Each structure stands twice: as structure tokens, then as C-alpha cells.
Amino acid sequence: MPPRPHLLVAAIAAALALGAQAVPAVAADGAVTEPAPTTSRGVEIPAFYTPPSELPGADGTVIRSEPLPLALSLPGIDGPLPGRATRLMYKSTDANGEAVAVTGAYIEPAAKWRGEGPRPLVAVAPGTMGQGDQCAASMALEHPLRLNGQTVSVGYEDLSVYRLLLRGVAVVVTDYVGLGTTDRLHTYVNRVDGAHAVLDAVRAARSLDSSSVTSDSRVGLFGYSQGGGATAAAAELQPSYAPDVELSGTYAGAPPADLTEVTEAIDGGDLAGALGWSLNGFLQTEPALRPIADRYINAAGEEALKDLSTMCVGDALFGYGGESSTDWTKTGQSLGDIIRAEPALQDFLAEQRIGTLKPGSPVRVATGVSDDLVPHGQARRLAVDWCDKGGRVTYVPVLLPGVGSGLLNHFGPLLADQGNAISWLTDRLSGEPAGSNCWSMPVQP
């Protein structure tokens, strides 16, 4: 399928809105490791991203770290601007209770923190990057735009990272479970995996020698789209999984809280390829679903799943934008139809639902009223669910008109609301108390 002009424009614009040499990876005990590098769609994945055979016991323990050159950086009197970056690998626990290595990046800002208290930390959960290891957000900090004829990767999340750094906020970015690390597939939009990766990134950042944040530093979470789902899940799982990571505030933009509804919305749209990432990840987390997949997925579908497993978001937009899942099934049913026909799939997706637990800290839920890619209604329902449980919720409907493209309807609110979202979060990091507008939900769009 030829690239769509408006998709290409959106991808390049994201990159413009906002490079490399490798060094040996250093383990926590100081030993230098040199696993063999791998490649994904013509991109060499540095040896750093290959996890060791044995992992430490404690979640958030740094396995290895190394300097990370930022592509968008300037020399400064006291060091590079906007900050000095460290690539890191840390230990987490996946949805099955198994130890897993996760990669990411920590950036120590050059700017001074001018708010109350010590320098705060924000964990940034990236929006959809893809499922190929070359798509990892930590690599995008070094290579904001990759166009090599085999893959298209855009580091659009770099913009939010840099805006936080300019305010003097330290930032840790997670790559999520399996994205970057070469030992498994990325478990795309998995509620538990995403939440744990975000919370353990905070623990890892606190322990780095290059980090000025301490256990007294206030902590915030920031994410949009896939990232909004990960931060939303982290906010509600934090009291049980990471009571040591006290949160001052969480921004969850356009969160995919109900994957059944999101599946219906993206099927046949610009980001139809995300269906493949979801299914690939679910089959890795729950192998018992494989017989169901084998009953329904045809040869074309299996080939698409394999192809998508190495793609970034740009590749999926150009390669699978507009495709229907009915082309991937033996029966001609859509994935939505199959979910309705299979109780096991319904149960699995019910477990992925965000909003069943009360977050223990203030949350800001923002959603574009015209967003038909990650549907506005299910994101609004998350705010209602949390309000009903007594959560401190600030709900923000982003009032932008629909423009006929699901991708642009979803991407527009990200840019339109990002400054306000960062301001809300930095207010929480300065110690300003959070209000709640739950009382207004009956009249909110």
C-alpha cells in the first residue's frame, strides 16, 4: 500500500517539532559485558539491549548503564543542554510474575528546578512506538528520525521530554517490556507490564549515580495514548506494587482503558497495524490463547503478525493503514466479532481494563472529544470510574473539531493539551494541592 501523504506529513512534522557511538555496557558490579548485537529492519540494535542470562531480585535494580548521546543537544558551561543522558537497563516483573529486563533512559537536566523542594522526577511513558526493537524510545532520543528504506521511526515523544527538562525536572523514560530488549516481543498495551515498567523506572532512576533525585524528590507520571494507558495503570497499581514510589500526580492522556472498544475503533483505520501488536503481545503473555488464534487467523494474518512484530509506528501506518482484520481471518470475521464469540478473549481483555482500582494520588485524564482512534467515550469513562471510587480526578475534554483522519484526531489533542498537562504536573511537583472536578462529570462532554 503506498504511503498516504497526510500520514507522511504528520510523521515528519512530529520529528521536526522536536546521531552515535556505542560504549561497552557496564553491569551493576562494574563488569563489562559484550553480547553480540542484533539487527531489526536494517537497524543494528546495540549489544546493550541484550539482557543477561540472570537478573537481580529487586524490582527497579539497575542491571547496566552507559552514557547516551542526545541527538538534539547543545554544549553548555556546566554540561550539555538540555541535560546529560544515561541509557539504562533495569529489572521489573511482568504480568505473569516473571523477572524481566527493561531498558530506558534517564536525563539529568541542566536547568535548575525552581519549584518547592528538591529536584523532582517524572517518568515518561511513551505513546505508541511500534513493536520492533529499533522503535524503542531510548533509541529515539539518540535518533529522532530513522528513514533507511526498511523502517520509519519518529521520536515524537522527545518533545515532552525536552519540555520537562527545560523546567528543571529530571526525566526517566521507559521502553516498556520487550521494546528494545532483544529477548522477547513487546507486550503492547499490556496493563500490568506497562504499569510495572513505569514504576520500576522510577526506582532505577533514584539509584543512578548520575541522578540528583532522591527518595525525598516528588514523583510524577506523564503519558499519552499507549503512554496514557501505562501511567493510568501505574497510578492505580502503585499502592500495591510500589508503595515506596509515592506519586504527586499522574497525567494520563487519551488512555486506552477499554481495549475491546479500542479494537473496534482502530480496525480499518490509520493505525490498524496496532491490532497485530496487541495480538502478538497477548499471545506472548497468555499462550493459552494460541489455539483460539490458530482457529481464526489465516495465512495472510499470520504473515501480517510476523511482519508487524518488527515494525515501528511509521511502518505500520504506511504498510497496514486502512486494512481490515477481516482480511486476516479464515472466517471473514473481524477481530471484534471474534472477541464477542470467544469468552476466553473477553475474560482476558476484561483483565486489561483500567479503572477497576482507585488511584492513590491525583490524576489528570485528558481526551480529545473528536478522538475516534482511541475513543473519547472509553477514556471519559475511566475518569467517571475513578470518580465513583473517590479518586482525585481532574478531567479535561480537549475541544478540537474532527478532521476526517483518525490519526490526526488522536494526534491533535496531544499537541494542543501538552503544555497544560505539563503545567498541571509541575504544579503537583511543586507541592500545590490538586483539586477535582468529579462533581462536573454529568455535564462534561
Side-chain angles (χ1 to χ4, degrees), residues 394-407:
T394 298
Y395 169 73
V396 180
V398 183
L399 305 176
L400 293 177
V403 294
S405 163
L407 179 67

Side-chain angles (χ1 to χ4, degrees), residues 191 195-196 199 203 221 230-248 250 356-363 386 391-392:
R191 178 178 68 95
H196 289 184
L199 294 168
R203 289 166 161 160
L221 308 180
T231 58
E236 63 178 29
L237 289 177
Q238 175 271 327
S240 60
Y241 180 75
D244 56 305
V245 180
E246 184 176 348
L247 298 177
S248 295
T250 294
T356 61
L357 300 170
K358 174 186 173 181
S361 52
V363 290
W386 277 344
R392 286 175 287 171

Side-chain angles (χ1 to χ4, degrees), residues 14-397:
L16 294 178
L18 314 175
Q21 53 187 7
V23 299
V26 181
D29 61 3
V32 176
T33 60
E34 288 290 358
T38 62
T39 59
S40 180
R41 291 189 175 263
V43 177
E44 182 175 293
I45 307 302
F48 182 96
Y49 289 85
T50 299
S53 57
E54 295 186 9
L55 300 178
D59 291 322
T61 299
V62 175
I63 299 168
R64 60 174 70 123
S65 63
E66 68 177 17
L68 171 63
L70 296 175
L72 305 177
S73 181
L74 295 172
I77 297 176
D78 298 320
L81 302 173
R84 192 180 303 277
T86 300
R87 198 189 321 264
L88 57 94
M89 177 185 287
Y90 58 94
K91 188 262 182 181
S92 189
T93 298
D94 69 13
N96 293 323
E98 300 295 328
V100 61
V102 181
T103 54
Y106 171 79
I107 308 98
E108 177 75 15
K112 292 182 179 180
W113 167 245
R114 303 189 183 280
E116 179 185 322
R119 186 190 299 280
L121 173 69
V122 167
V124 171
T128 296
M129 305 299 291
Q131 201 161 46
D133 289 328
Q134 78 279 11
C135 319
S138 62
M139 294 188 203
L141 288 166
E142 188 175 3
H143 303 283
L145 180 63
R146 288 190 192 270
L147 293 168
N148 68 353
Q150 298 183 56
T151 192
V152 180
S153 178
V154 179
Y156 62 88
E157 204 64 73
D158 294 1
L159 179 59
S160 62
V161 171
Y162 277 53
R163 293 178 79 164
L164 287 162
L165 293 172
L166 291 174
R167 293 183 179 228
V169 177
V171 174
V172 63
V173 182
T174 181
D175 289 335
Y176 299 123
V177 174
L179 191 58
T181 48
T182 57
D183 61 335
R184 60 171 66 198
L185 277 179
H186 170 41
T187 46
Y188 181 69
V189 296
N190 183 293
R191 178 178 68 95
V192 175
D193 282 11
H196 289 184
V198 169
L199 294 168
D200 287 327
V202 173
R203 289 166 161 160
R206 285 173 170 173
S207 69
L208 283 173
D209 291 338
S210 58
S211 168
S212 64
V213 299
T214 69
S215 58
D216 294 326
S217 297
R218 293 189 175 98
V219 176
L221 308 180
F222 185 97
Y224 187 88
S225 192
Q226 179 187 1
T231 58
E236 63 178 29
L237 289 177
Q238 175 271 327
S240 60
Y241 180 75
D244 56 305
V245 180
E246 184 176 348
L247 298 177
S248 295
T250 294
Y251 163 65
D258 185 334
L259 296 185
T260 300
E261 288 196 23
V262 176
T263 295
E264 295 276 7
I266 65 177
D267 199 346
D270 293 333
L271 200 56
L275 295 176
W277 297 330
S278 301
L279 187 52
N280 282 334
F282 294 159
L283 291 175
Q284 178 166 262
T285 297
E286 185 51 80
L289 298 177
R290 171 53 69 178
I292 299 176
D294 290 343
R295 284 204 307 271
Y296 288 100
I297 304 301
N298 61 21
E302 291 290 354
E303 182 59 32
L305 294 180
K306 180 181 178 181
D307 194 25
L308 284 159
S309 71
T310 62
M311 282 188 165
C312 296
V313 65
D315 310 323
L317 290 172
F318 300 149
Y320 291 91
E323 286 210 5
S324 171
S325 64
T326 57
D327 296 331
W328 298 354
T329 64
K330 298 172 182 176
T331 61
Q333 293 171 278
S334 69
L335 288 183
D337 293 335
I338 294 170
I339 290 169
R340 285 186 287 272
E342 294 289 342
L345 292 178
Q346 296 169 28
D347 292 343
F348 183 85
L349 292 178
E351 293 175 358
Q352 299 299 322
R353 176 73 180 268
I354 306 171
T356 61
L357 300 170
K358 174 186 173 181
S361 52
V363 290
R364 182 183 190 271
V365 179
T367 166
V369 297
S370 299
D371 192 342
D372 49 0
L373 189 69
V374 178
H376 165 70
Q378 58 85 46
R380 182 189 186 282
R381 192 178 312 119
L382 171 63
V384 171
D385 289 343
W386 277 344
C387 284
D388 289 345
K389 290 175 173 58
R392 286 175 287 171
V393 180
T394 298
Y395 169 73
V396 180

